[in-house]
Amino acid sequence: MKISDIPEKEYLLPGNAACHGCASSMCLRTVLKAIGKRTVLVVPASCTSVYQGMFPGSAIDVPVFNTVFAASASTASGIKASLEKKGVDATVVVWAGDGGTYDIGLQALSAAAERNEDILYVCYNNEMYSNTGVQRSGATPYGAWTTTTWSGKKEHRKDVAEMMIAHDIPYVATASAGYLTDLYKKIRKAKNVKGFRYVEILAPCPPGWKYPMDRTVEMGRMAVETGMWILYEYENGEFRLTGLSKAIAEGKRELKDVEEYLLAQGRFAHLSQKDIGAIREYVERRWSNLAKLAGGVHAASAEFYV
């Protein structure tokens, strides 16, 4: 698939208030193209609730319901039930950041997944509370500077995508802002799956990660190239690596040293070689664990165009 195969119709309109180089807006644009007009978007407090604009001047050309941090999955569940009662065919999508997913919204997310609600939950993970001033979240990686971990976070992040696999929902996938056609294809697939679907996107953030705004796609790719972010799908009980992660696992591409990725970001500028070594060990451990989960299944094609 080529980037030119993605529909030209826009549902996230130009002139919105997103930062330059914002991965969230770039990925939301792609997600809405993949799902189409018959979409209801549920947005908890986040950067999106700012750059979408104020009614009636919204930059998002589908119905949007803004809700509180803790209730996005339960709100979406109620909207879907109401639409079904009225006989309306539409895809209900939660579009939430990692703060609203990993921390404050986790209970509602887990409950909706356990009930296998027929909704699509998309987490755009920029690894911090960006909109409120760059505080740490449960998704912030080890060593990263934030305003609440000013000497570097001391813990590794948890992994909500793997928690969703433990819920045994019909579809789980990871994607990156560095590979938009891969994201588009996974959202298209998720749209047509019945039941609870979870897609998590690594969404680099120039002001929070402290890199130049024109390097967002490069950061999204470097994360995958160095193993800090791994692309995969879990579908009907089968786990498989996808895209560049699949190519690395098959030995067709070499895994780059994670130091190259870390030193490109100001939030890691203070790291010692001991810290970088701890992150290398973490990456190796995750690769080993996910390779065991894959069990040699690498069915998806390795496509990694922008």
Side-chain angles (χ1 to χ4, degrees):
M1 180 183 177
K2 300 176 182 176
I3 195 81
S4 58
D5 294 330
I6 296 178
E8 294 185 3
K9 173 67 177 175
E10 300 287 354
Y11 299 102
L12 178 61
L13 305 179
N16 63 68
C19 299
H20 293 176
C22 173
S24 166
S25 59
M26 184 168 63
C27 293
L28 178 57
R29 180 185 177 207
T30 303
V31 166
L32 291 175
K33 284 174 176 285
I35 302 175
K37 182 69 175 177
R38 298 190 68 80
T39 301
V40 177
L41 208 59
V42 176
V43 179
S46 60
C47 292
T48 305
S49 57
V50 175
Y51 71 67
Q52 71 178 56
M54 297 178 66
F55 181 84
S58 174
I60 301 176
D61 194 19
V62 299
V64 178
F65 192 105
N66 290 115
T67 190
V68 296
F69 253 135
S72 52
S74 52
T75 300
S77 301
I79 291 174
K80 182 62 180 180
S82 176
L83 293 174
E84 287 180 345
K85 185 71 174 178
K86 294 182 175 181
V88 177
D89 180 23
T91 304
V92 179
V93 180
V94 173
W95 179 258
D98 50 291
T101 301
Y102 275 66
D103 300 330
I104 304 173
L106 184 59
Q107 176 272 334
L109 168 62
S110 175
E114 187 270 333
R115 296 192 304 269
N116 196 28
E117 298 283 354
D118 188 22
I119 61 175
L120 170 57
Y121 193 111
V122 182
C123 171
Y124 66 96
N125 179 359
N126 57 24
E127 301 184 331
M128 62 191 168
Y129 288 80
S130 181
N131 179 46
T132 52
V134 193
Q135 296 88 11
R136 87 188 284 283
S137 77
T140 302
Y142 173 88
W145 167 92
T146 68
T147 54
T148 51
T149 56
W150 53 270
S151 61
K153 191 184 175 195
K154 305 303 182 188
E155 307 84 19
H156 291 290
R157 71 178 186 90
K158 56 186 173 185
D159 194 316
V160 170
E162 292 185 37
M163 291 171 65
M164 289 297 101
I165 291 175
H167 283 67
D168 198 25
I169 59 177
Y171 186 76
V172 180
T174 58
S176 166
Y179 304 101
L180 293 182
T181 52
D182 179 67
L183 170 63
Y184 178 85
K185 289 168 63 178
K186 286 172 176 170
I187 294 294
R188 289 285 298 175
K189 180 183 286 188
K191 176 189 175 184
N192 296 316
V193 172
K194 183 75 173 176
F196 196 87
R197 297 88 83 193
Y198 180 84
V199 177
E200 184 166 333
I201 310 165
L202 181 69
C205 172
W209 293 20
K210 299 184 180 299
Y211 66 82
M213 63 183 73
D214 62 348
R215 298 188 69 186
T216 291
V217 170
E218 183 183 355
M219 288 299 134
R221 292 188 170 198
M222 287 176 69
V224 178
E225 291 168 347
T226 58
M228 282 291 283
W229 191 256
I230 300 174
L231 301 174
Y232 61 80
E233 288 180 311
Y234 174 83
E235 187 176 8
N236 297 322
E238 181 181 276
F239 178 91
R240 56 178 172 267
L241 299 172
T242 62
L244 183 60
S245 296
K246 169 180 175 285
I248 292 171
E250 292 177 342
K252 297 176 181 176
R253 293 281 291 270
E254 288 188 5
L255 192 65
K256 293 183 178 179
D257 188 349
V258 72
E259 186 170 359
E260 179 181 348
Y261 171 72
L262 299 174
L263 295 184
Q265 303 168 51
R267 63 175 176 159
F268 292 118
H270 58 280
L271 292 186
S272 65
Q273 284 300 313
K274 182 180 179 181
D275 291 325
I276 293 173
I279 295 173
R280 280 197 190 99
E281 290 177 6
Y282 168 78
V283 170
E284 291 170 4
R285 189 165 63 248
R286 284 210 71 226
W287 263 104
S288 176
N289 291 340
L290 291 178
K292 289 177 184 175
L293 197 58
V297 177
H298 304 298
S301 60
E303 295 184 70
F304 24 87
Y305 304 104
V306 174

